[in-house]
Amino acid sequence: MLPTSDRAVYSLPTRHANIVISQGALDALSRDELIAVLSHERAHIRQRHHALLGALHSLRGVLGWVPLIAAAALAVATYAEMAADDVARRASSIRALAGALLALSGPGSSAVPGTPALALHGAQTGTSWRARRLAAAPTPPSGWCVA
């Protein structure tokens, strides 16, 4: 936990796959929102988004002059956030995840100094667009409906 009032949550590509959360984020999130955020970050870790984005970042360093390579890192980062959002909304709810996204992106949210370059966090990938995507998503059918 980071003892700062800035609101930040991100996962790190370490051997033990750590999730970093600031005191400001803990104070800003409800219990359901915190569950959604932690599910989101665990999805990044399980789906190895850090490795994929690290490889794309390296490739862009060598072949960044190729338009497709230059655009790939941002596009894949956006899709990684969407994939983690989908896992988190199934683990909690769309309302909790959208609320968490908005709480973490509002005034007072910022990249905490010293945040590693490969830390995955929503500030880089259009938080308001992601919240609108969640709000427009159809509610998944319940287990009873499927049965």
Side-chain angles (χ1 to χ4, degrees), residues 32 48 56 59 62 64 75 80 96 119 124 131 135 142:
D32 290 340
R48 302 177 138 310
L56 284 172
L59 188 60
V62 175
Q124 298 175 341
S142 70

Side-chain angles (χ1 to χ4, degrees), residues 17-69:
N18 296 316
I19 296 174
V20 177
I21 187 164
S22 69
Q23 184 63 51
L26 286 173
D27 294 341
L29 298 172
S30 70
R31 182 180 183 282
D32 290 340
E33 291 170 344
L34 181 60
I35 290 169
V37 168
L38 293 176
S39 297
H40 175 96
E41 295 304 327
R42 285 186 199 114
H44 282 311
I45 293 166
R46 275 193 312 275
Q47 296 174 6
R48 302 177 138 310
H49 293 158
H50 297 92
L52 177 60
L53 292 172
L56 284 172
H57 180 72
S58 296
L59 188 60
R60 188 176 68 190
V62 175
L63 298 172
W65 53 271
V66 177
L68 178 63
I69 301 298

Side-chain angles (χ1 to χ4, degrees), residues 53-144:
L53 292 172
L56 284 172
H57 180 72
S58 296
L59 188 60
R60 188 176 68 190
V62 175
L63 298 172
W65 53 271
V66 177
L68 178 63
I69 301 298
L74 180 59
V76 171
T78 300
Y79 288 124
E81 291 299 328
M82 291 167 56
D85 285 347
D86 290 343
V87 169
R89 74 182 174 140
R90 287 190 295 271
S92 59
S93 70
I94 293 173
R95 180 181 297 246
L97 181 57
L101 282 171
L102 296 174
L104 293 175
S105 69
S109 66
S110 63
V112 175
T115 301
L118 285 179
L120 293 178
H121 48 80
Q124 298 175 341
T125 56
T127 303
S128 62
W129 180 85
R130 287 169 52 209
R132 286 193 307 272
R133 175 184 173 266
L134 289 169
T139 305
S142 70
W144 291 105

